[in-house]
Amino acid sequence: MTEQKIHIEPLRKELEYYKRQLHKLSGDILNYDLTISRLQHELRQKRQGLALLSELQQTIGLRQGSASIFEITVQAINATLGMDKTLFLSPADTDNHYRASHWLGFCGDAAKKLPLLSIEFPASLSKGSGFLLVNRSSEKTPIIEEIQAKFELPYFICLPVMGENTPLGLLLSGRYREARPLYPPLDQGDVDTLRAIASLITALIHRMRVGVLEEMDRLKTEFFANISHEFRTPITLTLGPIEQMLKGRQGIISDPIREELVIMERNQERLLRLVNQILDLTKLEAGSMGLKAAPMPDMNQFVRERLENFCSLAEKRGLQLIASLDPQVYGAELYIDREMFDKLLLNLLSNALKFTKEGYVEISTGIHEGVFCLVVKDTGIGIKKHQLAYVFDRFRQADGNEGAEQAGTGIGLALVKEITKLHGGEVRVQSEYGEGSLFEVLIPLGKEHLDPVSVVEVAGESLKTFAGSKKLLFIDETGLDQEDAEQDNQEAEASFDPNKPTVLYVEDNQDLRNHLRSLLSPHYNVFLGIDGHDGLEKAIKYTPDLILSDQMMPHMSGRGLLRMLRMDPQLSSTPVIFLTALSETESRVAALDAGADDYLSKPFDESELLARVRNLLRARAQEKELAELNRRLEVRIEEQMAELVRSGELRRFLPQTVVE
C-alpha cells in the first residue's frame, strides 16, 4: 500500500504541472485573442481613416471654399467613422470662445439653438497643443460636462484644426453609447484619425488659398500688361505731334510755347519709360520674354558707352562718376542679352544717381572664379537694414513712408532681379543707411547654364555699335534744382507787389513748380520751396498768406511741414492746401485731421485750384479784418474807460452804497 502511494504521488504532481501549464496556455491564448482583437480594431480604424481621407481628397476640389470643405468633412466623418454627431466650431469674437458653424446629427430645436451656443475652450486647443478624449472611463471636468450638456453628446473627441498661426476652428465628433463590438470606446486611434483629417483640412485650405493668390497674381500681371499696352497708344499719339511741333513742321512757335512743349515731351517720355518697365516686368514674370543671349567680347566698352550718357547729369548734380573696368573682362566668354542688359544698367545707374546727393557713383567690372561681376556703388542715402530684404520686390520701395527720400514706382530693381535671373545669375545688395549702397550682379561665364534655345550666335562686328545705337530713355526724376528755385524767388522779390497776396508753393518736381508758378504769378506773389525743409525756411522768411504743398517730398514730408507750421506762433494760422497724388479718402481725411485747410488731388483742374486759393485767401483776409476790428474796439474801450476814470464819471456807473 505504501509502495502504491509512492508511485501515485509523482503522477499526481505531474498532472498538476500539466494543469498549470494548460491554464497558462489558456491565458496566453486569451491575451493573444485580445491582442488580435485590438489589432483588428486598430486596423479597422486605420482603414476607415484612410478611406475617409481618400474620400475627402477626391470630393473636395481646389475651387471650393472653406465652408464647403467643413460641410463635406462633417458629413464624411459621421458616415465613415460611425459617429452620431459631428460639428465644426468656428472662433467667436471673444478669445478661446467657439460656436457651431457646420454640423450633422442635430435636428429640430437642437439644430436651431446651435448657432447661438458659445463655449469657452481651454487655451491649449487654440494653440494646437491639446485635445479632449471623453469615454466611459474619463474623469469629468467642467468643460466636459458643459459640452455633454449643451450638445447632448456623452462620448466625444474634440481637437483643433489649425491655420498658419491661428486655429481655423475645432472639430468635435462623438457617439451616444459605448457597446462592443459595434461601438467600442473612443480611444487614441480615433484621435489619430481625426488629427489626420484636421491636418488634411489645413493642407486643403492652405492649397486653396495659395491657388487663389496665384490666380490673383496672374490676373494682376495680365491686367498690368493689358493696361500698359493700352497706355502706349495715347502716349505715342501725344509724343508724335509734340515732336513734330518742336521740329517746326507746324510753323514757327514762340519760346514760351516751346518751353511748355519740352515739359510735355519730357513727362510723356517718363510715362513711356514707366509703361515699358511694367511691360518688361510682366513679360519676365510670366515667362513670355525669351532670352537672346549672344557673346559679348568687350563688356567694358558696352558699360563705358552707356556710362557716357550719365556724365552730364552727374556733372549737373556735382557727383563724380567713376569707371573701374577690369581688363581681364575683355575677351571673356560672356553671353548676355544686350537689350535686357542695357535696361539693367540703366536702372542700376539711374537709381544710384537718383539717391546720391554728394560724393560719387562707381561702376566696376571683374572676373572671379568663372563669374562675371558688375558692381554699382554709391555714397547715397542708403537703405535701412530692415528694408534690405524687400528692395527687389516689385512695386515696393526701400522706404515706403510718406517722407521717403525720393518718389518712385519700385519697378526698376525688380526688373534688375528678373533680368539677372534670366541670365542664370544673381544680384546682391549691401547698404548702410546714410552711408551708401552697393549692388552686385553676378553672371556665370560660358553658355552651359543657359537654355540652348536662348543662345544666339552673332557676328562680332555687330556688337560694337549696339551700346550707342539706342536712344537713352532716362529722365531725371529728382526735380530738386535749388538754383532754379532760388533764381525764381529772387525774381519774385524784385517784382514784389504789396497789393497782392503772397503764396508759397512747396514741391519737389521742378516741372510742376514751374507750371504752378506760371499759373499763380499773374494773381499773387509766388515763392517756391523744393522740399519740406526748404519750404519751412521759405515760410519763415516770406510769411506767406497761403501755402500750397505736396505731401511726398524728401528731407521733410508735407505732413511734417504742416506739423512744424502749426507749432510756429507766427505761421500757425497760415492756410495750407495739400496738392498731392495721394487721392485715397484715408489720405484726404488724415491730412485734414492733421490741420490742412484743403486738399486737392493730382491731376487737378486749374480753375478749381485758383478758386480754392481765392476762397481761402478771402477767408484769411476777412479773419485779419475782423481781428483788426476787434483790436480797434478793445483800444477804444480802454480809452473810454480811462476817460471816465479821469473825469470821475465812472462813479455814476458804480453801485451806490446805502447808509442806514
Side-chain angles (χ1 to χ4, degrees), residues 307-323:
L307 197 60
E308 288 176 358
N309 291 288
F310 290 88
C311 289
S312 59
L313 177 61
E315 184 179 350
K316 177 183 177 183
R317 304 196 67 189
L319 301 174
Q320 188 179 5
L321 206 54
I322 304 171

Side-chain angles (χ1 to χ4, degrees), residues 374-445:
L374 174 76
V375 178
V376 177
K377 182 181 179 182
D378 63 64
T379 56
I381 63 174
I383 305 167
K384 294 177 181 177
K385 188 175 181 180
H386 69 279
Q387 293 284 351
L388 280 173
Y390 308 110
V391 294
F392 296 111
D393 291 356
R394 60 176 177 170
F395 310 123
R396 181 163 182 170
Q397 291 183 265
D399 196 350
N401 58 52
E402 64 162 311
E405 286 293 318
Q406 300 290 352
T409 58
I411 295 177
L413 290 178
L415 194 60
V416 168
K417 178 185 175 182
E418 292 297 326
I419 291 174
T420 306
K421 194 166 138 187
L422 203 60
H423 282 81
E426 62 174 321
V427 58
R428 303 171 181 169
V429 59
Q430 300 175 32
S431 184
E432 186 173 344
Y433 189 65
E435 299 294 328
S437 302
L438 183 150
F439 288 88
E440 183 179 26
V441 176
L442 306 172
I443 297 178
L445 296 179

Side-chain angles (χ1 to χ4, degrees), residues 163-183:
E164 293 184 4
N165 298 310
T166 57
L168 298 171
L170 302 178
L171 196 58
L172 176 64
S173 185
R175 300 187 182 119
Y176 293 128
R177 58 193 178 278
E178 289 183 359
R180 293 181 183 277
L182 294 178
Y183 304 104

Side-chain angles (χ1 to χ4, degrees), residues 119-122 124-125 129-135 138-139 141-145 147 155-160 170-173 186-187 191 194-195:
I119 300 181
E120 182 179 6
F121 284 83
S124 59
L125 287 178
S129 58
F131 65 91
L132 295 175
L133 170 59
V134 179
N135 51 35
S138 299
E139 182 180 350
T141 63
I143 182 63
I144 290 175
E145 292 177 345
I147 293 173
Y155 312 116
F156 61 85
I157 295 171
C158 182
L159 48 78
L170 302 178
L171 196 58
L172 176 64
S173 185
L186 298 172
D187 57 18
V191 172
L194 288 182
R195 270 185 171 163

